[in-house]
Amino acid sequence: MHKNISRLAIIALALMLVLSACGGAKPAATEAPVAVATEAPAATEAPAAEGFQIPEVVEGKFNVAMVLIGPHDDGGWSQAHYEGLVYIQENVPNVNIAYIENVPEGADSEQVFRSLSRKGFNLIFGTSFGFGDPMEVVAGEFPDTMFIHLTGIKSNFTNFGNLMGAMEDMKYLAGMLAGARAKQDGNPKLGYMATFPIPEEIRLGNAIALGMKQTCPECTLDVRWINTWHDPIIEKEAAASLFDAGAQVVFTGADTPAVADVAQEKGKWGVTYDWYGSCKVDACLTAPYWVWGPIYAGITEKVIAGTYVPGYDYFDAETGALGLFGFMEGQEMQPGVKDLDPEVIAKVQDTLAQMLAGEFTRFDVFTGPINDNKGNVVLPAGQALEQVDLDAFPEYGLPCTVAVCMKWWAEGITAELPQ
């Protein structure tokens, strides 16, 4: 069931992809950074990350650090990872945890990762796409430290590994719900507020559209690129733009619950992301979300035992690390979902059950027949994409099973691909 990218393909991808050019730098958070560390670096070393207090390790414990792109209580991506970090301390004996928040991608993050390594942290998680290049550099300097990068596509197979999950599973289900909601409301228009034009964001948008078509064949999906992961003001403005352009339901690929707040003001519907607690207002239909704790704890235990082999760890829903708010055990459906066609609810529940049982994976989401929004056949009936297709653009020069890899918009998406 689990398909991995070949080592040759990975090496080629790592060599050819310029992450910073694709993802762009996330703007610095509006909060002021923590004060500069008071400890002076050794004369032969580069200075510590300016503007960030580097936490101390605890002697005699296994020390785990996490670097966050936004605030640890952002109500989305960073908060989900922070709670996963806390889970490690609560469930793995003799572990000390620490985190640094609001770290921008680029040179600043490289200095943060280097400073944490010098302090003696044993395991370091970097939770943003643009941390990949800096982590790769620092991992080469500190072979005894384990580095795990989230959402990227790089690994050195020794002390620098990649970790990601098949959120396309839950986005597909959310697309089914959103399509049904829009159809029932008599307005078959949806919107997707995407962050950066990278394979991940296109993959998730396509999953939304494929799910949407399951319940609303006539529905369309518009896209707005916001070029930030975390900016509540920009997120609200982009969501309002999509609603004002006619969308009945808007999805977000960014970090905050802003899309649902704007939906509440507009009398429409939003689908939040990343954290189960993001779906608070009645106008939120659902939230595809992450449960990082058990994944992080499992990795930590293996690193401590010396059995963890870094590479490409891409998990599906059967791990329990993915959720769809309102449909998991003990959760109540949101108001905008409760009155949908019972057949739609049953279809979502049945598909989710298959996902949780490992019987429906990301490769089932991306199984043909699939056409792009230009009328071209991406996949004929019965053919499925492979992992490299999900992660790559044609420019990477990899042997994708389809020539366009993930550089296409699914049928029903009205936007053009960005340059």
Side-chain angles (χ1 to χ4, degrees), residues 17 29 40 42 98 102 124 181 186-187 223 229 252 269 282 292 295 304 334 340 347 349 366 401 412:
L17 175 62
N102 297 322
I124 302 174
R181 181 72 262 172
N187 178 16
V223 180
W229 296 106
T252 183
W269 308 100
D282 287 348
W292 292 107
I295 298 291
I304 292 172
Q334 287 290 97
L340 292 178
K347 187 172 184 178
Q349 291 173 327
F366 288 102
T401 60

Side-chain angles (χ1 to χ4, degrees), residues 16 199 392-400 402-408:
M16 299 186 69
F393 287 153
E395 291 83 354
Y396 300 172
L398 298 177
C400 298
V402 295
V404 292
C405 299
M406 190 45 68
K407 198 170 183 180
W408 51 277

Side-chain angles (χ1 to χ4, degrees), residues 118-199:
R118 289 189 184 123
K119 285 285 187 178
F121 280 90
N122 308 103
L123 172 60
I124 302 174
F125 292 96
T127 64
S128 190
F129 184 87
F131 290 160
D133 284 345
M135 293 184 76
E136 182 182 38
V137 171
V138 177
E141 300 171 3
F142 295 89
D144 295 329
T145 303
M146 183 66 71
F147 298 82
I148 303 296
H149 180 224
L150 276 296
T151 84
I153 41 69
K154 288 192 170 187
S155 174
N156 66 7
F157 301 99
T158 55
N159 71 321
F160 173 48
N162 179 258
L163 176 66
M164 189 55 176
M167 184 50 72
E168 47 268 31
D169 294 350
M170 298 303 150
K171 294 281 188 174
Y172 176 78
L173 296 178
M176 293 170 64
L177 294 172
R181 181 72 262 172
K183 182 176 182 178
Q184 188 164 309
D185 290 347
N187 178 16
K189 295 181 179 180
L190 280 65
Y192 173 39
M193 187 171 65
T195 55
F196 295 98
I198 57 177

Side-chain angles (χ1 to χ4, degrees), residues 67-126:
V67 180
L68 301 169
I69 189 69
H72 74 284
D73 56 355
D74 67 350
W77 175 256
S78 291
Q79 185 156 353
H81 285 290
Y82 170 75
E83 291 185 359
L85 178 68
V86 172
Y87 184 96
I88 295 174
Q89 188 168 52
E90 294 175 345
N91 291 274
V92 182
N94 201 39
V95 167
N96 169 61
I97 62 169
Y99 69 97
I100 301 179
E101 59 188 356
N102 297 322
V103 178
E105 296 167 334
D108 285 343
S109 69
E110 182 175 326
Q111 288 301 327
V112 167
F113 288 116
R114 185 172 288 111
S115 296
L116 288 168
S117 302
R118 289 189 184 123
K119 285 285 187 178
F121 280 90
N122 308 103
L123 172 60
I124 302 174
F125 292 96

Side-chain angles (χ1 to χ4, degrees), residues 266-393:
K266 300 283 186 180
K268 295 187 177 182
W269 308 100
V271 177
T272 58
Y273 185 27
D274 290 324
W275 183 53
Y276 72 94
S278 65
C279 199
K280 295 180 179 180
V281 299
D282 287 348
C284 179
L285 283 182
T286 186
Y289 66 90
W290 304 91
V291 184
W292 292 107
I295 298 291
Y296 282 157
I299 290 174
T300 302
E301 289 171 341
K302 290 179 181 178
V303 175
I304 292 172
T307 60
Y308 185 72
V309 180
Y312 292 85
D313 191 352
Y314 200 116
F315 54 84
D316 259 295
E318 82 279 3
T319 61
L322 303 172
L324 184 69
F325 187 75
F327 286 80
M328 311 308 289
E329 184 176 356
Q331 295 176 357
E332 184 177 350
M333 293 179 191
Q334 287 290 97
V337 172
K338 287 181 178 179
D339 67 338
L340 292 178
D341 184 343
E343 291 187 5
V344 171
I345 301 299
K347 187 172 184 178
V348 171
Q349 291 173 327
D350 290 346
T351 308
L352 175 60
Q354 292 178 55
M355 289 177 174
L356 296 176
E359 298 167 356
F360 191 105
T361 73
R362 59 194 183 275
F363 306 111
D364 294 297
V365 171
F366 288 102
T367 293
I370 296 177
N371 293 338
D372 67 15
N373 65 351
K374 304 293 185 182
N376 302 308
V377 175
V378 175
L379 285 173
Q383 183 180 344
L385 295 183
E386 297 184 5
Q387 187 62 48
V388 67
D389 302 303
L390 304 182
D391 283 330
F393 287 153

